[in-house]
Amino acid sequence: MPCPHAIEQALAAHTTITLAYVDEDGPQACAVLYATGAANDEVEAAEVGEAAGEVETADAAETGAGAVGGPVLYFVTSATTRHGRALAEPGARVAFTVQRDGQEWSALTGIQGRGRCRPLSGAERAVGWRAYTRRFPFVEADERLRAALERTTLWELRPDWLRLIDNGQGFGHKEEWQRPEGA
């Protein structure tokens, strides 16, 4: 089941995610900038399409448009931070929220979710990095910042459950999505 368009739009409308995780010291949360992307199977198809000159396919996959397997989120953080170490643990799961600050309660829109994170390397990292720098062009524009971020870890967050809260549709309006088994 494809992710509902309203959820994809809400993810694309924001830039900061608050990740909650648990490690040996207990629960903790952190905020990171993120970019949206497509599921790995579509990323692989995008890379093949790019090699064949099908740029539109690659662009759609990098933005998450029509992501049948569901959206993925990319963020940068060092693997040596507390949250980086926790996320790198086998089987580690996160809960997260995405919302804009300063919203009126009657129009509050945000996302709640759960999923798994993993560090990226090789071709997967290259695709994720393109999505990240497309979302945050100032990274490529600042040579020192780009060099610093390229040396750190790029992560993929693959949500397996998402809930959109949209009070603009009516107080407490919710729309949910769950990643299909095996996707």
Coordinates of all heavy atoms in Angstrom, one line a residue, residues 78-126:
S78 N 27.1 12.2 13.6 CA 28.2 11.4 13.8 C 27.9 10.1 14.5 O 27.0 10.1 15.4 CB 29.2 12.2 14.7 OG 30.3 11.3 15.1
A79 N 28.5 9.0 14.1 CA 28.3 7.7 14.8 C 28.8 7.7 16.2 O 28.6 6.8 17.0 CB 28.9 6.6 14.0
T80 N 29.6 8.7 16.6 CA 30.2 8.8 17.9 C 29.3 9.5 18.9 O 29.6 9.5 20.1 CB 31.6 9.4 17.9 OG1 31.5 10.7 17.5 CG2 32.5 8.6 17.0
T81 N 28.2 10.2 18.5 CA 27.3 10.9 19.4 C 26.6 9.8 20.2 O 26.5 8.6 19.8 CB 26.3 11.8 18.7 OG1 25.5 11.0 17.8 CG2 27.1 12.9 17.9
R82 N 25.9 10.2 21.3 CA 25.1 9.3 22.1 C 24.0 8.6 21.2 O 23.9 7.4 21.1 CB 24.5 10.0 23.3 CG 23.6 9.0 24.1 CD 23.0 9.7 25.3 NE 22.1 8.8 26.0 CZ 21.4 9.1 27.0 NH1 21.4 10.3 27.5 NH2 20.5 8.2 27.5
H83 N 23.3 9.5 20.4 CA 22.3 8.9 19.6 C 22.9 8.1 18.4 O 22.3 7.1 18.0 CB 21.3 10.0 19.1 CG 21.9 11.1 18.4 ND1 22.4 12.2 19.0 CD2 22.0 11.4 17.0 CE1 22.9 13.1 18.1 NE2 22.6 12.6 16.9
G84 N 24.0 8.5 17.9 CA 24.6 7.7 16.8 C 25.0 6.3 17.3 O 24.8 5.3 16.6
R85 N 25.6 6.2 18.5 CA 25.9 4.9 19.0 C 24.7 4.1 19.3 O 24.6 2.9 18.9 CB 26.7 5.1 20.3 CG 28.1 5.6 20.1 CD 28.9 5.6 21.4 NE 28.3 6.1 22.6 CZ 28.3 7.4 23.0 NH1 29.0 8.3 22.3 NH2 27.7 7.8 24.1
A86 N 23.6 4.7 19.8 CA 22.4 4.0 20.0 C 21.7 3.5 18.7 O 21.3 2.4 18.6 CB 21.4 4.8 20.8
L87 N 21.7 4.3 17.7 CA 21.1 4.0 16.4 C 21.9 2.9 15.7 O 21.3 2.1 14.9 CB 21.0 5.2 15.5 CG 20.2 6.4 16.0 CD1 20.2 7.5 15.1 CD2 18.8 6.0 16.3
A88 N 23.2 2.8 16.0 CA 24.0 1.8 15.3 C 23.8 0.4 15.9 O 24.3 -0.6 15.3 CB 25.5 2.2 15.3
E89 N 23.2 0.3 17.1 CA 23.0 -1.0 17.7 C 22.1 -1.9 16.8 O 21.1 -1.4 16.3 CB 22.4 -0.8 19.1 CG 23.3 -0.3 20.1 CD 24.5 -1.3 20.4 OE1 24.2 -2.5 20.6 OE2 25.6 -0.8 20.5
P90 N 22.4 -3.2 16.7 CA 21.6 -4.1 15.9 C 20.1 -4.1 16.5 O 19.9 -4.2 17.7 CB 22.2 -5.4 16.1 CG 23.6 -5.1 16.5 CD 23.6 -3.8 17.2
G91 N 19.2 -4.0 15.6 CA 17.8 -4.0 16.0 C 17.3 -2.7 16.6 O 16.1 -2.7 17.1
A92 N 18.1 -1.7 16.7 CA 17.7 -0.4 17.3 C 16.5 0.2 16.6 O 16.4 0.2 15.4 CB 18.8 0.6 17.4
R93 N 15.5 0.7 17.4 CA 14.3 1.3 16.8 C 14.2 2.7 17.4 O 14.7 3.0 18.4 CB 13.1 0.5 17.2 CG 13.0 -0.8 16.5 CD 11.8 -1.6 16.6 NE 10.5 -0.9 16.4 CZ 10.0 -0.6 15.2 NH1 10.6 -0.9 14.1 NH2 8.8 0.1 15.1
V94 N 13.5 3.6 16.6 CA 13.3 5.0 17.1 C 11.8 5.3 17.0 O 11.1 4.7 16.2 CB 14.1 6.0 16.3 CG1 15.6 5.8 16.5 CG2 13.7 6.0 14.8
A95 N 11.4 6.2 17.8 CA 10.1 6.9 17.6 C 10.5 8.3 17.2 O 11.6 8.8 17.5 CB 9.3 6.8 18.9
F96 N 9.6 9.0 16.5 CA 10.0 10.4 16.1 C 8.7 11.2 15.9 O 7.6 10.7 15.7 CB 10.8 10.4 14.8 CG 10.2 9.7 13.7 CD1 9.4 10.5 12.8 CD2 10.4 8.4 13.4 CE1 8.8 9.9 11.7 CE2 9.8 7.8 12.3 CZ 9.0 8.5 11.4
T97 N 8.9 12.5 15.9 CA 7.9 13.5 15.5 C 8.5 14.5 14.6 O 9.7 14.8 14.6 CB 7.3 14.2 16.8 OG1 8.4 15.0 17.4 CG2 6.7 13.3 17.8
V98 N 7.6 15.0 13.7 CA 8.0 16.1 12.8 C 6.9 17.1 12.9 O 5.7 16.7 12.7 CB 8.1 15.5 11.3 CG1 8.3 16.6 10.3 CG2 9.2 14.5 11.2
Q99 N 7.2 18.4 13.1 CA 6.2 19.4 13.1 C 6.9 20.8 13.1 O 8.1 20.9 13.4 CB 5.3 19.3 14.4 CG 6.0 19.7 15.7 CD 6.9 18.6 16.2 OE1 6.6 17.4 16.1 NE2 8.0 19.0 16.9
R100 N 6.2 21.8 12.7 CA 6.7 23.1 12.7 C 6.4 23.8 14.0 O 5.3 23.6 14.6 CB 6.0 23.9 11.5 CG 6.6 25.3 11.3 CD 5.9 25.9 10.1 NE 4.5 26.2 10.4 CZ 3.5 25.6 9.8 NH1 3.7 24.6 8.9 NH2 2.2 25.8 10.0
D101 N 7.3 24.6 14.6 CA 7.1 25.3 15.8 C 6.1 26.4 15.6 O 5.9 26.9 14.5 CB 8.4 25.9 16.3 CG 9.3 24.9 16.9 OD1 8.9 23.8 17.3 OD2 10.5 25.2 17.0
G102 N 5.4 26.8 16.7 CA 4.5 28.0 16.6 C 3.2 27.9 15.9 O 2.6 28.9 15.5
Q103 N 2.7 26.7 15.8 CA 1.4 26.5 15.1 C 0.3 26.7 16.1 O 0.4 26.5 17.3 CB 1.3 25.0 14.6 CG 2.3 24.7 13.6 CD 2.1 23.3 13.0 OE1 1.1 23.0 12.3 NE2 2.9 22.3 13.4
E104 N -0.8 27.2 15.5 CA -2.1 27.4 16.3 C -2.7 26.0 16.4 O -2.6 25.2 15.5 CB -3.1 28.3 15.5 CG -2.6 29.7 15.4 CD -2.6 30.4 16.8 OE1 -3.5 30.1 17.6 OE2 -1.7 31.3 17.0
W105 N -3.3 25.7 17.6 CA -3.8 24.3 17.8 C -4.9 24.0 16.8 O -5.0 22.8 16.4 CB -4.4 24.2 19.2 CG -5.7 25.0 19.4 CD1 -5.8 26.2 19.9 CD2 -7.0 24.5 19.1 NE1 -7.2 26.6 19.9 CE2 -7.9 25.5 19.4 CE3 -7.5 23.2 18.6 CZ2 -9.3 25.3 19.3 CZ3 -8.8 23.1 18.5 CH2 -9.7 24.1 18.8
S106 N -5.6 24.9 16.3 CA -6.7 24.6 15.3 C -6.2 24.2 14.0 O -6.9 23.6 13.2 CB -7.7 25.8 15.2 OG -7.0 26.9 14.7
A107 N -4.9 24.5 13.7 CA -4.3 24.2 12.4 C -3.1 23.3 12.5 O -2.4 23.1 11.6 CB -4.0 25.5 11.6
L108 N -2.9 22.8 13.7 CA -1.7 22.0 14.0 C -1.6 20.8 13.0 O -2.6 20.0 12.8 CB -1.8 21.4 15.4 CG -0.6 20.6 15.9 CD1 0.6 21.4 16.1 CD2 -1.0 19.8 17.1
T109 N -0.4 20.7 12.4 CA -0.1 19.5 11.5 C 1.2 19.0 11.9 O 2.2 19.7 12.2 CB -0.1 20.0 10.1 OG1 -1.3 20.6 9.7 CG2 0.3 18.9 9.1
G110 N 1.3 17.7 12.0 CA 2.6 17.0 12.3 C 2.5 15.5 12.1 O 1.4 15.0 11.7
I111 N 3.6 14.9 12.2 CA 3.8 13.5 12.0 C 4.3 12.8 13.2 O 5.2 13.3 13.9 CB 4.8 13.2 10.8 CG1 4.3 13.8 9.5 CG2 5.1 11.7 10.7 CD1 3.2 13.0 8.8
Q112 N 3.8 11.6 13.5 CA 4.4 10.7 14.5 C 4.8 9.5 13.8 O 4.1 9.1 12.8 CB 3.3 10.3 15.6 CG 2.7 11.5 16.4 CD 1.6 11.0 17.2 OE1 0.9 10.0 17.0 NE2 1.2 11.8 18.2
G113 N 5.9 8.9 14.2 CA 6.3 7.7 13.5 C 7.2 6.8 14.3 O 7.7 7.2 15.4
R114 N 7.4 5.6 13.8 CA 8.4 4.6 14.3 C 9.1 4.0 13.2 O 8.6 3.9 12.1 CB 7.7 3.5 15.1 CG 7.0 4.0 16.4 CD 6.4 2.8 17.1 NE 5.4 2.0 16.4 CZ 4.1 2.2 16.5 NH1 3.6 3.1 17.3 NH2 3.3 1.5 15.8
G115 N 10.4 3.6 13.4 CA 11.1 2.9 12.4 C 12.5 2.5 12.8 O 12.8 2.5 14.0
R116 N 13.3 2.2 11.9 CA 14.7 1.8 12.1 C 15.7 2.7 11.3 O 15.3 3.2 10.2 CB 15.0 0.4 11.6 CG 14.2 -0.6 12.4 CD 14.5 -2.1 11.9 NE 13.6 -3.0 12.5 CZ 13.7 -3.5 13.8 NH1 14.6 -3.0 14.5 NH2 12.9 -4.4 14.2
C117 N 16.8 2.9 11.9 CA 17.9 3.8 11.3 C 19.1 2.9 10.9 O 19.3 1.9 11.6 CB 18.3 4.9 12.2 SG 17.1 6.0 12.6
R118 N 19.8 3.3 9.9 CA 21.0 2.6 9.6 C 22.0 3.6 8.8 O 21.5 4.4 8.1 CB 20.8 1.3 8.7 CG 20.3 1.6 7.3 CD 19.9 0.3 6.6 NE 19.5 0.6 5.3 CZ 20.3 0.5 4.2 NH1 21.5 0.1 4.3 NH2 19.8 0.8 3.0
P119 N 23.3 3.4 9.1 CA 24.2 4.2 8.3 C 24.3 3.8 6.9 O 24.1 2.6 6.6 CB 25.5 4.0 9.1 CG 25.4 2.7 9.8 CD 23.9 2.5 10.0
L120 N 24.6 4.7 6.0 CA 24.7 4.4 4.6 C 26.1 4.5 4.1 O 26.9 5.3 4.6 CB 23.8 5.4 3.7 CG 22.3 5.3 4.0 CD1 21.6 6.4 3.2 CD2 21.7 4.0 3.7
S121 N 26.4 3.7 3.1 CA 27.7 3.8 2.4 C 27.6 3.6 0.9 O 26.5 3.1 0.5 CB 28.7 2.8 3.1 OG 28.2 1.5 2.9
G122 N 28.6 3.8 0.2 CA 28.7 3.5 -1.2 C 27.6 4.2 -2.0 O 27.3 5.4 -1.8
A123 N 27.0 3.5 -3.0 CA 26.0 4.1 -3.9 C 24.7 4.5 -3.1 O 24.2 5.6 -3.4 CB 25.6 3.0 -4.9
E124 N 24.4 3.8 -2.0 CA 23.2 4.3 -1.2 C 23.5 5.6 -0.6 O 22.6 6.5 -0.5 CB 22.9 3.2 -0.1 CG 22.3 2.0 -0.7 CD 22.0 1.0 0.5 OE1 22.8 0.8 1.4 OE2 20.9 0.4 0.4
R125 N 24.7 5.8 -0.1 CA 25.1 7.1 0.5 C 25.0 8.2 -0.5 O 24.6 9.3 -0.3 CB 26.4 7.0 1.2 CG 26.8 8.3 2.0 CD 28.2 8.3 2.6 NE 28.3 9.2 3.6 CZ 28.4 10.5 3.5 NH1 28.2 11.1 2.3 NH2 28.5 11.3 4.5
A126 N 25.5 7.9 -1.7 CA 25.5 8.9 -2.8 C 24.1 9.4 -3.1 O 23.9 10.6 -3.3 CB 26.2 8.4 -4.0

